[in-house]
Amino acid sequence: MKRVFTSESVTEGHPDKICDRISDAVLDAIIARDPVARVACETCVTTGMVLIMGEITTDCYVEIPHIVREVINGIGYDRAKYGFDGSTCSVLTSIEDQSADIALGVDRDGAGDQGMMFGFACDETETLMPMPIYYAHKLAKKLTDVRKQGTLGFLRPDGKSQVTVEYENDRPVRISEIVISAQHSPVVSYDAIKDGLIEEVIKPVIPEGMIDKNTRIFVNPTGQFIIGGPQGDSGLTGRKIIVDTYGGYARHGGGAFSGKDPTKVDRSASYMTRYIAKNIVKAGIAKKCEIQVAYAIGVAEPVSVCVDTFGTGIIPDEKLTQAVLDVFDLRPKSIIEKLDLRKPIYQPLSAYGHFGREDLGVKWEICDMTDELLKAVKHV
């Protein structure tokens, strides 16, 4: 049986990703000084303006406008001719303390909100990520790298990638379509853009065996992409949650990550379930695994845990669920300690995915619980 699946990624210069990066930069700056701070920071950008809003409870002080300008200039929006300039845009802030009602639950080590979170892993790629999002992220990251390195000097910060993978009997066999949309200088020809992106972005990233003569490649399909970033479209934190996770290949609970401290289970429990799923697949217990957990606000233990191996597991999912509960402590405080989440590690995660990021050394990507899982599986 054949099927296709498509996932997309965006560069750090995409308006929504600018917002995610700013929100996580504010979080990092605060958590570096106050590891137990409560942070829920959201960002909105449009032409010439940045709005920082949310709830923050901390004893430290950070210069938010300075952080905002540093992030925007670091992305590459550092001159007016790009349509957005980190040095001259206006920065507005509207910050309140965390709700006392929410704090009641978090103070007793309960979950910071109700909701459901998902983690996923499969054996399609070396990082145990689905292939469509794996290559979409690599293309988006390469697009940024060749811009910042000056290899393709006509590029600007905004950009998107999209990859369609063809599956046969549930295994990836080829890439059928690739879409690259890249913001660029107004004084470069379309042919130069297309040739440059194929040679410097697509070919170095996509293995030869995954592309064939029938693979369709679309580069800037409208013909030009000069107006981009906040000038071309407004941006908002948390509007790329599918890009942040598994590209739609696995389910999503709906909660965003960026700008939230780890007491928010939207973030910490999603990292933990990825950690569990990845260790299950790495251990050979299943070829594909999705974990769902759900919480009630103020309650430490999850109200439900569900493991789905899509028929690929070596034991029934019901027994695997029990093995997971025997091995892993899913209370928010324990998750934070296990994954070492009270550190300023979040800004680098704000673009190119929160999962499969073995390059960043984050603990939810480490497969160090395989032996414990295999032992537990034998005793359930």
Side-chain angles (χ1 to χ4, degrees), residues 206-280:
I206 307 296
E208 287 187 16
M210 293 302 293
I211 296 180
D212 57 35
K213 64 180 181 180
N214 295 317
T215 299
R216 297 191 297 168
I217 296 176
F218 300 90
V219 174
N220 285 5
T222 67
Q224 70 177 35
F225 184 2
I226 297 170
I227 301 172
Q231 184 185 28
D233 193 8
S234 61
L236 184 64
T237 298
R239 207 158 54 182
K240 286 291 177 285
I241 58 175
I242 299 302
V243 171
D244 285 343
T245 52
Y246 307 100
Y249 197 98
R251 284 170 282 198
H252 196 294
F257 301 157
S258 289
K260 295 179 180 177
D261 76 78
T263 65
K264 278 72 174 176
V265 283
D266 280 337
R267 179 164 224 159
S268 54
S270 295
Y271 292 168
M272 189 64 175
T273 50
R274 161 65 177 174
Y275 176 59
I276 298 168
K278 188 171 183 180
N279 273 270
I280 287 171

Side-chain angles (χ1 to χ4, degrees), residues 12 50 113 151-152 160 184 191 240 245 251 253 268 288 310 318:
E12 62 200 55
V50 181
D113 201 353
T151 307
L152 298 179
K160 288 186 173 185
H184 58 83
D191 288 341
K240 286 291 177 285
T245 52
R251 284 170 282 198
S268 54
K288 184 186 297 186
F310 308 93
E318 182 180 0

Side-chain angles (χ1 to χ4, degrees), residues 10-309:
V10 298
T11 67
E12 62 200 55
H14 184 281
D16 295 329
K17 278 293 150 197
I18 296 172
C19 295
D20 287 342
R21 202 168 192 84
I22 291 171
S23 293
D24 275 332
V26 171
L27 171 63
D28 277 353
I30 293 171
I31 212 169
R33 296 164 175 80
D34 181 6
V36 296
R38 306 281 170 77
V39 181
C41 175
E42 297 192 52
T43 304
C44 175
V45 298
T46 188
T47 305
M49 190 192 81
V50 181
L51 170 62
I52 311 296
M53 53 193 168
E55 298 79 43
I56 298 175
T57 301
T58 181
D59 292 330
C60 76
Y61 173 78
V62 296
E63 184 60 46
I64 289 178
H66 174 75
I67 294 168
V68 170
R69 297 187 191 284
E70 193 173 59
V71 168
I72 294 169
N73 286 324
I75 289 170
Y77 288 113
D78 54 4
R79 58 199 68 185
K81 71 177 183 178
Y82 292 169
F84 199 66
D85 183 355
S87 298
T88 60
C89 65
S90 63
V91 179
L92 310 177
T93 60
S94 181
I95 303 293
E96 303 289 341
D97 290 337
Q98 183 185 70
S99 162
D101 294 340
I102 295 174
L104 284 173
V106 179
D107 289 344
R108 59 173 181 255
D109 298 326
D113 201 353
Q114 72 173 45
M116 64 282 191
M117 300 86 209
F118 291 89
F120 181 80
C122 62
D123 64 355
E124 293 180 10
T125 61
E126 60 186 0
T127 60
L128 304 186
M129 288 289 286
M131 188 173 286
I133 192 66
Y134 174 81
Y135 282 120
H137 282 324
K138 287 178 76 71
L139 288 171
K141 182 63 166 61
K142 189 67 172 178
L143 198 57
T144 295
D145 289 344
V146 298
R147 171 178 63 86
K148 290 189 172 182
Q149 293 161 4
T151 307
L152 298 179
F154 54 79
L155 290 178
R156 299 293 181 258
D158 200 354
K160 288 186 173 185
S161 63
Q162 186 171 286
V163 175
T164 302
V165 174
E166 183 178 305
Y167 290 79
E168 191 169 333
N169 298 322
D170 211 33
R171 302 304 300 173
V173 294
R174 62 184 289 268
I175 291 174
S176 58
E177 282 83 21
I178 296 171
V179 183
I180 299 282
S181 295
Q183 185 187 12
H184 58 83
S185 161
V187 293
V188 61
S189 70
Y190 176 78
D191 288 341
I193 297 168
K194 183 175 182 179
D195 292 345
L197 293 182
I198 290 174
E199 292 299 321
E200 301 295 340
V201 176
I202 295 174
K203 286 185 177 181
V205 166
I206 307 296
E208 287 187 16
M210 293 302 293
I211 296 180
D212 57 35
K213 64 180 181 180
N214 295 317
T215 299
R216 297 191 297 168
I217 296 176
F218 300 90
V219 174
N220 285 5
T222 67
Q224 70 177 35
F225 184 2
I226 297 170
I227 301 172
Q231 184 185 28
D233 193 8
S234 61
L236 184 64
T237 298
R239 207 158 54 182
K240 286 291 177 285
I241 58 175
I242 299 302
V243 171
D244 285 343
T245 52
Y246 307 100
Y249 197 98
R251 284 170 282 198
H252 196 294
F257 301 157
S258 289
K260 295 179 180 177
D261 76 78
T263 65
K264 278 72 174 176
V265 283
D266 280 337
R267 179 164 224 159
S268 54
S270 295
Y271 292 168
M272 189 64 175
T273 50
R274 161 65 177 174
Y275 176 59
I276 298 168
K278 188 171 183 180
N279 273 270
I280 287 171
V281 174
K282 185 68 174 180
I285 297 170
K287 292 182 179 294
K288 184 186 297 186
C289 182
E290 183 181 78
I291 313 285
Q292 187 209 44
V293 294
Y295 291 88
I297 188 168
V299 179
E301 295 285 352
V303 298
S304 71
V305 179
C306 176
V307 179
D308 189 350
T309 61

